[in-house]
Amino acid sequence: MNVIKKLTVDLVRKGIPQTVELIQGDSAVAFCVTLLCDGSPWEIPQNAAVLLRYKNGNAGGEYDTLPDGKVAYGISGNTLTVYLAPAVCSMAGQTDFQVVIYAGDRQKSTFRIPLFVQGEVSGSEEPQSYTNLTQWLLQYGGGSDATPLLQGIRSELETLSDRVTALEDLPVYAGEMEDV
């Protein structure tokens, strides 16, 4: 497992979100989160259970074990090592990530940790978002009925609008990050 980033997260003070950069399709990725509570180290209680939550677009989920059955986290004092499930890196774009720690009937959660999953580079096939305009016009623009052409244009514009909205929602980080 590769630890790619070390983060320090305060459970009380939100601060500027620290980000983690990932590559789509990676499955052996972990990062360490040092937990503070109002600026002081917060020891994770013994026998605590951890639930990891993620959301990318309309997809997301919760997990505490990996597909191979291993626990998806490690605890040492106030440091939590988080092992990412393959589903977390399955979609390019921003993924919101959150750690929830349960100790008895008490719950403590981190603020959102933004994960940025970059699309994998593959030259073996055309991206699905690529449109060859000439082929598209021949397929949808032929004949006297312009309805298919207009429907195709509308669909493309909605896709572009969704992409612009997703880009506008990305946080801007102006500070420095510590790489491992």
Side-chain angles (χ1 to χ4, degrees), residues 25-156:
D26 281 357
S27 61
V29 177
F31 59 90
C32 293
V33 181
T34 300
L35 298 172
L36 304 176
C37 186
D38 203 24
S40 299
W42 186 74
E43 294 289 321
I44 301 167
Q46 289 187 343
N47 300 324
V50 176
L51 183 64
L52 306 169
R53 295 178 175 159
Y54 67 97
K55 184 170 186 202
N56 182 329
N58 293 329
E62 301 176 334
Y63 68 99
D64 61 357
T65 56
L66 298 172
D68 64 2
K70 294 180 182 172
V71 176
Y73 58 89
I75 298 174
S76 177
N78 71 323
T79 301
L80 181 71
T81 303
V82 175
Y83 306 104
L84 297 180
V88 176
C89 297
S90 65
M91 295 176 61
Q94 180 177 338
T95 297
D96 291 330
F97 195 83
Q98 183 180 41
V99 176
V100 182
I101 301 168
Y102 296 96
D105 62 346
R106 299 175 66 209
Q107 172 184 324
K108 201 71 162 157
S109 302
T110 65
F111 291 101
R112 175 182 67 85
I113 299 171
L115 309 178
F116 292 100
V117 181
Q118 295 183 19
E120 62 186 348
V121 177
S122 173
S124 62
E125 60 184 66
E126 290 184 19
Q128 292 183 1
S129 63
Y130 174 79
T131 301
N132 181 317
L133 187 57
T134 303
Q135 290 177 348
W136 188 74
L137 286 172
L138 289 173
Q139 182 177 356
Y140 296 108
S144 61
D145 185 7
T147 303
L149 176 63
L150 295 175
Q151 288 173 340
I153 291 172
R154 182 181 191 143
S155 174
E156 291 293 320

Side-chain angles (χ1 to χ4, degrees), residues 5-21:
K5 191 77 161 179
K6 289 185 179 181
L7 308 173
T8 300
V9 175
D10 198 305
L11 297 168
V12 177
R13 299 177 188 169
K14 186 171 181 184
I16 298 172
Q18 299 173 59
T19 61
V20 177
E21 296 278 339

Side-chain angles (χ1 to χ4, degrees), residues 158-175:
E158 288 172 353
T159 300
L160 289 173
S161 176
D162 291 345
R163 289 181 180 171
V164 168
T165 300
L167 288 173
E168 290 172 345
D169 291 340
L170 292 176
V172 177
Y173 180 73

